[in-house]
Amino acid sequence: MLKVGLVGLGFMGNAHLQNYIRLEKEGFPIKLVAICDIDDKKQGGALVEGNLPVGIDNVDFSNYNFYKEMEEMIKTEELDYVDLCLPTYIHSTMAVEAMKLGAHVFCEKPMAISSSEGQKMIDASKEYGKQLMIGQTLRFFPSYLYLKETIESKRYGEVVGGYFFRGGTTPIWSWENWLLQKDKSGGCLLDQHIHDVDTINWLFGLPEAVSTSGKVINEGNGYDIVSTNYFYPDGKVIHAEDDWTINNDDYGFEMRFRVNFEKGTIILENGVFKDYPHGEKSFEPDISKESGYYYEIKHFAESILNNTQADKRVPSESARDTIFLAEKEQESADQNGVKVNL
């Protein structure tokens, strides 16, 4: 039976909590025993806002021991691993400390506030012999896995182009408004756009160069709107955009993509996932409707239980390279879209 401690009970912390409750109900050998958060109101189940339908329901928080300090929680509860759902700028510090104290670490995306901080997490994992996995959840979503398999099998030939987008409301719900502070979140580019940056890195590898334009709307924040072209040696046309300024309840949130192959196209838009073989009838693939959040947590837990390598699905070096790629996009945007080589 795995003993887990959840660190951070904000929007994503609550989303992770729901999945632990579900896993326990399903009979999976895991138990969330403790929660760590510096906000006393969270112990009473304070309302947590966010931009995704992640299934946040009422929770009986009396089932968990609450702590304000992660170190005390790990030592007292003798945890197998901690699940870090914290502001980006403290990911590295907290992950390194947890591994030093003897706990494996599952950490929400993005890996860290910089690629150098991400490397510190990798170094600590090796030094202390602890598992580390970053929650780049799209690598676990069935639709994105279907796309990945199509690319690798080459059933439609080579990729010739791809477009990725996500967008929604400005995140004004974070603790002390950290999401709208560039030095703490990296803005839309590092917090939200990072999903598509990671997807592009995962699907195609690092590009040769990038060209990014960005717009700061909220003073003191990083870029609130970003648009990037990725340049690859084979000439495929890859582009990604993000916009967290669509502040209307009628829109909500959307992630979409279109990937063109020599012999077909795969599209996710408006919540509909379809496969378009050239010259044949389109169809909706028969894939799981399950959330990637559930799959990633279960995968990490199974890896700890079975002593297998969790980060084969999300190699820590790959998660670090995603941050490095985002840094190059930031560099390009800071120079009004100049092409920056990696």
Side-chain angles (χ1 to χ4, degrees):
M1 177 70 71
L2 285 178
K3 294 175 64 179
V4 181
L6 178 62
V7 187
L9 197 58
F11 175 61
M12 285 313 305
N14 268 276
H16 285 214
L17 171 61
Q18 297 294 328
N19 283 292
Y20 287 114
I21 292 172
R22 175 181 168 184
L23 285 168
E24 289 181 39
K25 287 181 178 178
E26 292 174 349
F28 189 84
I30 194 169
K31 184 170 180 58
L32 182 67
V33 297
I35 296 174
C36 178
D37 198 291
I38 63 173
D39 185 354
D40 291 328
K41 292 182 294 185
K42 297 293 177 61
Q43 296 189 37
L47 179 65
V48 178
E49 297 181 68
N51 64 347
L52 290 171
V54 290
I56 295 178
D57 297 322
N58 292 328
V59 175
D60 182 0
F61 285 101
S62 66
N63 292 326
Y64 312 105
N65 296 324
F66 270 81
Y67 296 84
K68 284 192 173 183
E69 299 292 336
M70 181 188 71
E71 296 83 350
E72 180 187 1
M73 181 179 73
I74 293 174
K75 292 176 181 178
T76 304
E77 302 289 348
E78 299 181 345
L79 302 173
D80 292 293
Y81 80 83
V82 293
D83 182 333
L84 303 182
C85 295
L86 296 165
T88 303
Y89 70 102
I90 55 175
H91 279 184
S92 180
T93 300
M94 299 297 281
V96 169
E97 181 63 19
M99 288 184 280
K100 182 179 179 180
L101 291 170
H104 300 291
V105 172
F106 176 68
C107 180
E108 252 298 335
K109 54 54 65 184
M111 184 179 196
I113 197 68
S114 68
S115 56
S116 60
E117 288 295 308
Q119 184 60 49
K120 291 178 182 178
M121 297 164 72
I122 295 172
D123 293 343
S125 176
K126 294 176 180 178
E127 179 179 355
Y128 301 115
K130 295 301 172 183
Q131 297 241 36
L132 168 68
M133 195 181 89
I134 309 304
Q136 291 291 171
T137 191
L138 295 187
R139 299 194 190 202
F140 291 85
F141 266 80
S143 54
Y144 286 79
L145 285 167
Y146 182 92
L147 176 59
K148 174 77 166 175
E149 188 279 328
T150 303
I151 293 170
E152 293 186 342
S153 70
K154 298 187 186 297
R155 65 186 176 91
Y156 286 157
E158 300 293 339
V159 172
V160 296
Y163 169 76
F164 301 82
F165 170 81
R166 64 193 47 243
T169 59
T170 305
I172 58 173
W173 53 79
S174 61
W175 177 72
E176 294 187 345
N177 206 34
W178 70 269
L179 279 170
L180 296 185
Q181 299 175 55
K182 181 182 178 181
D183 60 335
K184 295 183 177 180
S185 74
C188 180
L189 195 158
L190 190 60
D191 184 78
Q192 187 166 279
H193 176 60
I194 199 69
H195 280 294
D196 290 324
V197 178
D198 185 70
T199 297
I200 288 167
N201 177 27
W202 176 51
L203 295 178
F204 312 121
L206 291 175
E208 288 185 328
V210 295
S211 174
T212 302
S213 58
K215 177 71 173 177
V216 177
I217 294 176
N218 302 290
E219 185 177 352
N221 188 22
Y223 293 111
D224 296 292
I225 304 173
V226 291
S227 177
T228 299
N229 289 315
Y230 303 82
F231 300 91
Y232 285 88
D234 63 359
K236 58 177 169 279
V237 180
I238 305 297
H239 182 80
E241 298 178 1
D242 204 305
D243 180 352
W244 69 12
T245 69
I246 309 173
N247 293 309
N248 186 293
D249 291 340
D250 292 337
Y251 185 84
F253 174 84
E254 185 181 8
M255 59 185 187
R256 62 171 59 197
F257 65 73
R258 181 198 68 249
V259 176
N260 303 86
F261 298 81
E262 293 172 308
K263 302 175 183 178
T265 304
I266 297 176
I267 299 176
L268 171 67
E269 62 182 356
N270 299 320
V272 178
F273 181 57
K274 295 192 74 171
D275 189 318
Y276 297 84
H278 288 181
E280 300 177 28
K281 186 175 178 59
S282 65
F283 62 95
E284 293 187 32
D286 183 17
I287 59 173
S288 169
K289 303 299 182 183
E290 190 59 75
S291 164
Y293 295 102
Y294 172 79
Y295 282 137
E296 66 179 1
I297 291 173
K298 188 174 184 180
H299 168 76
F300 187 75
E302 287 175 336
S303 298
I304 304 302
L305 285 166
N306 300 327
N307 196 30
T308 56
Q309 196 61 34
D311 77 346
K312 282 189 175 181
R313 291 289 299 274
V314 187
S316 297
E317 290 79 7
S318 178
R320 176 207 58 206
D321 288 348
T322 290
I323 304 298
F324 173 71
L325 178 52
E327 289 171 336
K328 291 300 180 180
E329 292 186 45
Q330 176 81 41
E331 183 180 338
S332 173
D334 289 346
Q335 300 177 70
N336 297 315
V338 66
K339 191 174 180 179
V340 173
N341 294 323
L342 271 69

